[in-house]
Amino acid sequence: MLGRTLREVSAALKQGQVTPTELCQRCLSLIKKTKFLNAYITVSEEVALKQAEESEKRYKKGLSLGDLDGIPVAVKDNFSTAGIETTCASNMLKGYVPPYNATVVQKLLDQGALLMGKTNLDEFAMGSGSTDGIFGPVKNPWSYSKQYREKRKQKSHGENEDSDWLITGGSSGGSAAAVSAFTCFAALGSDTGGSTRNPAAHCGVVGLKPSYGLVSRHGLIPLVNSMDVPGTLTRCVDDAATVLGILAGHDPKDSTTIQDPVKPFTLPSLTDVSKLCIGIPKEYLTPALSSEVRSLWSKAANLFESEGAKVIEVSLPHTSYSIVCYHVLCTSEVASNMARFDGLEYGHRCDTDVSTEAMYAATRREGFNDVKL
């Protein structure tokens, strides 16, 4: 049951094959069994079981709230969750309990989703390995697969098995691991420059970064305001479309969201691709591109061509500038956003009272890791 897609488990709930409480308990049990993955910072067991109980009552009355009613989900620990600690995997926010839900979290709850907990990440979502948060690294579930273990045995030379694990990628590694390990059916991540898509690729799940402005950032603790986007991690593309359809839309609390009403998202039928024209940017075929990626790219293009699609080379001449702009914006906005954690307004504050400057310095030294400093 835990390996099913959203569509399949939703149908099972509606048909009475499993109850929300049973589903919740199975996920909670698996979360405990896979604790060594370190995917979760906070497990909201009581909250999830209470939500499952309410969902069960709705199903008995035939009043399901939507496609996610009774389905376990997880949320990256940089999204605000009312009454549940939100740390950003940092000493700076350890113990912080928001008084409100992020818009995307609220939308999931409005659909009846069960919040299993908050997932691990790189501190303040700045990283690509999910290894530098204060709660320790997230371990890739595939590290413990039979295939990987057998492969490693053939190559190992007395290595410590406890240290023989793969990273999840980051910074949404906890969410990716949670979905990959079957402890939930979907999870929220955040994506600035690949932080949802990168761990999805590492963990064998589907990661989506929606277009900027399609999904509200309200309640997402910012890293780079100009690029941060709430992302989704699911088991398949159809599930990604389902979750995006729930999350997308204008939010009066976020002025950057699109103003036009968003129609519910459905996955289009691609049985006939003969009318598609697919462009391959020549600037992306760089010498640094690995032969494996290049081969898979060509394979995908050939597959579309064999089915009648038109595949052409296109040019995106400003690609090199976009990379420069990314680095400039990223570094400047990170510095700006981290500046607010000074020990005066909120977050961690040191005990030093020699001077304001000394308090600033000590607070930031104690609250941030070396990357942020």
Side-chain angles (χ1 to χ4, degrees):
M1 183 65 71
L2 297 186
R4 296 188 182 185
T5 65
L6 286 176
R7 189 187 298 272
E8 291 169 342
V9 76
S10 180
L13 284 165
K14 291 171 183 175
Q15 294 165 11
Q17 297 175 15
V18 66
T19 68
T21 300
E22 290 171 344
L23 200 59
C24 182
Q25 289 172 335
R26 290 184 193 182
C27 285
L28 287 170
S29 176
L30 195 52
I31 288 173
K32 292 172 184 175
K33 288 179 181 178
T34 58
K35 189 175 180 180
F36 58 89
L37 295 176
N38 205 26
Y40 289 83
I41 291 175
T42 302
V43 179
S44 50
E45 182 171 354
E46 291 185 10
V47 171
L49 287 171
K50 178 64 176 176
Q51 291 168 341
E53 183 183 332
E54 294 300 319
S55 176
E56 206 160 315
K57 291 178 183 177
R58 291 192 293 271
Y59 272 109
K60 287 180 180 178
K61 296 177 182 178
L63 300 173
S64 170
L65 292 177
D67 292 333
L68 295 185
D69 204 345
I71 296 180
V73 300
V75 173
K76 187 176 179 180
D77 202 29
N78 60 342
F79 287 93
S80 296
T81 44
I84 301 174
E85 186 180 18
T86 300
T87 68
C88 286
S90 175
N91 280 320
M92 190 61 81
L93 285 181
K94 197 172 182 181
Y96 169 60
V97 179
Y100 68 98
N101 284 320
T103 295
V104 286
V105 172
Q106 190 59 53
K107 285 190 173 185
L108 293 178
L109 297 180
D110 288 344
Q111 285 278 316
L114 314 181
L115 179 56
M116 307 310 294
K118 305 296 291 294
T119 57
N120 206 347
L121 64 151
D122 289 298
E123 186 181 27
F124 278 97
M126 185 176 174
S128 56
S130 297
T131 55
D132 73 349
I134 62 167
F135 300 100
V138 185
K139 299 178 181 179
N140 195 321
W142 288 97
S143 308
Y144 304 92
S145 66
K146 183 179 179 181
Q147 300 95 317
Y148 179 74
R149 286 298 175 186
E150 289 179 349
K151 183 178 179 182
R152 291 300 298 165
K153 281 181 181 179
Q154 297 170 6
K155 297 182 178 181
S156 64
H157 300 285
E159 293 179 6
N160 184 352
E161 191 170 318
D162 290 338
S163 64
D164 183 20
W165 49 270
L166 303 169
I167 65 169
T168 57
S171 62
S172 306
S175 289
V179 175
S180 181
F182 298 158
T183 62
C184 63
F185 290 85
L188 287 180
S190 62
D191 197 313
T192 304
S195 285
T196 293
R197 296 159 291 168
N198 173 294
H202 277 274
C203 295
V205 296
V206 176
L208 174 67
K209 178 183 183 178
S211 298
Y212 189 86
L214 190 61
V215 177
S216 173
R217 292 183 296 112
H218 174 70
L220 168 61
I221 296 173
L223 179 70
V224 180
N225 304 64
S226 300
M227 301 177 192
D228 293 342
V229 176
T232 62
L233 294 117
T234 56
R235 303 251 167 83
C236 65
V237 175
D238 186 59
D239 286 357
T242 297
V243 178
L244 179 60
I246 292 168
L247 301 181
H250 176 63
D251 180 9
K253 296 176 182 176
D254 179 2
S255 61
T256 64
T257 51
I258 57 174
Q259 298 293 323
D260 296 329
V262 176
K263 297 179 181 178
F265 279 79
T266 55
L267 192 64
S269 172
L270 290 179
T271 53
D272 179 15
V273 297
S274 60
K275 294 181 180 179
L276 286 181
C277 181
I278 299 169
I280 297 182
K282 64 180 183 181
E283 288 82 5
Y284 291 4
L285 294 170
T286 64
L289 194 66
S290 72
S291 58
E292 182 184 9
V293 172
R294 188 183 293 266
S295 174
L296 289 170
W297 198 347
S298 298
K299 186 177 179 180
N302 292 338
L303 183 62
F304 275 112
E305 275 192 318
S306 67
E307 294 297 321
K310 185 179 180 181
V311 179
I312 62 172
E313 181 181 82
V314 297
S315 177
L316 298 176
H318 300 109
T319 297
S320 60
Y321 299 110
S322 70
I323 296 171
V324 174
C325 287
Y326 170 79
H327 286 293
V328 171
L329 281 173
C330 189
T331 53
S332 59
E333 290 195 29
V334 167
S336 176
N337 279 320
M338 295 303 106
R340 75 188 68 190
F341 300 105
D342 54 16
L344 287 178
E345 298 158 285
Y346 45 80
H348 172 72
R349 178 168 181 163
C350 72
D351 295 328
T352 300
D353 58 2
V354 176
S355 67
T356 302
E357 290 75 14
M359 186 272 292
Y360 282 163
T363 292
R364 294 174 69 79
R365 185 170 58 250
E366 294 172 8
F368 289 135
N369 66 13
D370 293 339
V371 177
K372 306 303 173 297
L373 289 173

